[in-house]
Amino acid sequence: MQKAGRDPGAMPHDHGQDIERVLAKMPPDPEFVKAADIFQLLCDPSRLRILWLLCHSEECVYNLSAAVSMSSPAVSHHLRTLRQSGLLNSRRDGKEVYYRLADTEEAQLVHRMIDDIFDMNCPRNSIR
């Protein structure tokens, strides 16, 4: 809440750092909410392991379950959350559903972050 008579663009202290220029480029609040939602998805270690696998391969629930030593229902829950967030795509082939990283800017950013965190060079990223 701002005090009456105060310029909303002026900072209380001028430290010569030109913060007004930085503030002019600050994304709107909905963009911060979107970013926070993505970071929240990555806070769960199991979900992060599943996402790491899907950054580098397309897999079905059963293979993911075996790879991360979790039950299929638990993996399915994480996959549903990641798919609803727009980070994953799925495709059906007969009775199997395969999951992979979505081809969106947000998903590719998460992929680069995961590769950087785990100091990994993904073969798909080296082609670009």
Side-chain angles (χ1 to χ4, degrees):
M1 210 155 101
Q2 68 181 8
K3 294 182 179 178
R6 192 162 157 185
D7 179 7
M11 299 305 302
H13 298 118
D14 183 3
H15 299 289
Q17 296 172 327
D18 198 17
I19 193 163
E20 285 83 10
R21 180 180 52 81
V22 174
L23 287 172
K25 295 181 181 184
M26 182 182 282
D29 286 345
E31 293 298 315
F32 283 102
V33 170
K34 183 178 174 182
D37 289 344
I38 290 172
F39 285 123
Q40 188 174 16
L41 288 171
L42 302 178
C43 288
D44 183 285
S46 297
R47 194 174 299 133
L48 187 56
R49 286 189 321 175
I50 292 167
L51 194 54
W52 182 91
L53 286 166
L54 295 175
C55 282
H56 304 103
S57 67
E58 180 182 63
E59 284 299 336
C60 68
V61 174
Y62 300 108
N63 285 350
L64 288 168
S65 297
V68 297
S69 301
M70 292 175 64
S71 70
S72 294
V75 168
S76 292
H77 171 76
H78 289 299
L79 290 170
R80 183 173 35 261
T81 301
L82 290 166
R83 193 171 46 78
Q84 288 173 343
S85 75
L87 292 178
L88 295 183
N89 286 332
S90 62
R91 71 173 178 87
R92 181 174 290 279
D93 186 7
K95 292 184 178 185
E96 293 287 340
V97 177
Y98 293 90
Y99 294 87
R100 63 180 161 71
L101 192 70
D103 193 22
T104 64
E105 186 176 327
E106 290 86 1
Q108 295 309 311
L109 175 60
V110 168
H111 184 175
R112 287 190 305 272
M113 287 179 2
I114 287 172
D115 283 353
D116 287 348
I117 288 169
F118 294 108
D119 195 25
M120 180 178 174
N121 293 318
C122 180
R124 283 195 260 179
N125 285 344
S126 64
I127 294 172
R128 293 179 186 185

